[in-house]
Amino acid sequence: TKQDIINQVSSRASLSRAKAEEAVETVIELIKESLGHGEPVILRRFGTFQVRAKTKRIGRNPKTGETVKLDGKYVPHFKPGKELRERVDASIA
């Protein structure tokens, strides 16, 4: 959770909890701002956050079975970097 990350940053970087929370919140806000402008966020050896476009399509209401037109939209997407994929694979396997 975000609170766990804040606690880890606080202890590992020898920061007060308030400073660690401010740092984590700032990083998250910067990522949101960049994605909001359509710019990718590349964190070397970790991964890439980017915005992907979803096209218009026809959906279905599962309750009634009625078809529904769905507008196109933009959604955030995360692609993990090679080092992150390898580390996760090694630690779980």
Side-chain angles (χ1 to χ4, degrees):
T1 66
K2 184 164 49 168
Q3 293 305 317
D4 293 335
I5 294 171
I6 291 168
N7 292 335
Q8 289 289 325
V9 169
S10 176
S11 65
R12 290 185 185 197
S14 300
L15 293 172
S16 69
R17 185 155 172 5
K19 287 288 186 187
E21 184 172 0
E22 182 180 346
V24 170
E25 290 289 344
T26 300
V27 169
I28 292 171
E29 191 59 36
L30 289 171
I31 291 171
K32 286 197 264 184
E33 284 178 18
S34 292
L35 292 176
H37 295 310
E39 302 166 355
V41 177
I42 301 167
L43 303 173
R44 300 272 181 234
R45 300 177 4 211
F46 182 73
T48 303
F49 295 91
Q50 59 189 7
V51 175
R52 290 205 171 159
K54 296 286 188 175
T55 58
K56 292 181 184 179
R57 63 187 177 94
I58 302 294
R60 187 179 63 83
N61 181 334
K63 191 171 186 178
T64 64
E66 177 184 352
T67 59
V68 180
K69 289 184 182 181
L70 300 172
D71 294 332
K73 61 182 176 178
Y74 295 95
V75 295
H77 175 76
F78 176 73
K79 180 180 178 185
K82 181 181 177 184
E83 186 175 316
L84 178 61
R85 286 192 317 267
E86 289 173 351
R87 180 177 261 184
V88 168
D89 185 48
S91 66
I92 293 177

